[in-house]
Amino acid sequence: MLALTMRYSRTIGGDMYFASTAVVVCEGLKLFVSLVLLQKEEAGKGFVEVLRTKVFNDPLDLVRLMVPAGLYTVQNNLAYFAMSRLDAATYQLLYQLKILTTALFSVLLLGRQLAPRQWGSLVVLCLGVGLVQTSSLKSGPEGSPEVANVDGNSSNSSN
C-alpha cells in the first residue's frame, strides 16, 4: 500500500513535493513514537532522566545507532527517487532486495547461519526480481529494448 501511495503522489501532475521533506517528516514521526514508547517503558521516571540514562550516557552506543539511522535516511531518499522513475511492480520487487542484502550481511558480518529453507526463499526472491526486470523490457520495432517511462510512454534506449 505504501508503494502505491508513494507512486501516485510522485507521478500526479502539479507541484511536486521534495522527497527529502517527506523523509524528514517520516523520520521525525518515528522519533516521536520511539520517545513515547521509551517513556512508557520507563514509567515512573522523568522524561529528561530517561533520555539522559538511555540515550546520552553512552555516546558510543549513540554513534552506533546513528550509522544505521543515516543509512536508512539515504535509503528512503533513494526510494522516493526510484518510485518516481519505475513502475510500481518493479519498484516493489527491487525494494525486496533489502531482504537479500540484510541476509547476506548478517551471514558475512555477524556470522549468523541461515537454514536451507531461508536460503531457498532468498533464491526465489532473486528469481522474482530477475523475472520482473526482464519482463519490463520490451522489444522495439528495430529489436532494441524499450523501457516504459513513468507516464506510460516508451523510450528507446538508444536515444
Side-chain angles (χ1 to χ4, degrees):
M1 185 65 160
L2 175 65
L4 293 176
T5 306
M6 282 175 57
R7 171 138 175 91
Y8 177 73
S9 70
R10 298 301 289 173
T11 58
I12 59 173
D15 291 336
M16 183 68 66
Y17 61 90
F18 290 112
S20 57
T21 303
V23 170
V24 167
V25 168
C26 184
E27 295 300 320
L29 182 61
K30 287 194 265 185
L31 175 65
F32 175 74
V33 169
S34 297
L35 292 175
V36 167
L37 291 174
L38 179 65
Q39 181 61 38
K40 186 175 180 177
E41 184 179 284
E42 299 290 326
K45 296 182 181 177
F47 183 70
V48 175
E49 180 185 349
V50 170
L51 279 180
R52 190 175 345 104
T53 58
K54 293 287 186 177
V55 178
F56 296 115
N57 271 357
D58 190 2
L60 184 60
D61 197 33
L62 183 62
V63 169
R64 278 186 253 166
L65 291 174
M66 288 172 63
V67 171
L71 292 174
Y72 275 119
T73 302
V74 170
Q75 176 192 9
N76 288 337
N77 277 304
L78 291 173
Y80 276 97
F81 179 79
M83 184 52 76
S84 299
R85 287 160 177 79
L86 297 173
D87 63 281
T90 303
Y91 170 79
Q92 192 64 28
L93 281 171
L94 288 175
Y95 196 69
Q96 297 305 315
L97 284 178
K98 288 191 319 183
I99 297 170
L100 175 65
T101 56
T102 302
L104 290 176
F105 283 133
S106 70
V107 168
L108 296 174
L109 299 177
L110 301 176
R112 291 195 58 202
Q113 292 186 0
L114 297 179
R117 179 179 282 182
Q118 291 170 317
W119 281 114
S121 299
L122 290 172
V123 168
V124 169
L125 177 68
C126 290
L127 289 174
V129 169
L131 286 174
V132 167
Q133 280 300 98
T134 57
S135 70
S136 67
L137 294 175
K138 301 179 215 172
S139 282
E142 297 90 23
S144 62
E146 290 184 339
V147 180
N149 288 334
V150 173
D151 61 359
N153 297 328
S154 42
S155 64
N156 196 322
S157 62
S158 62
N159 289 343

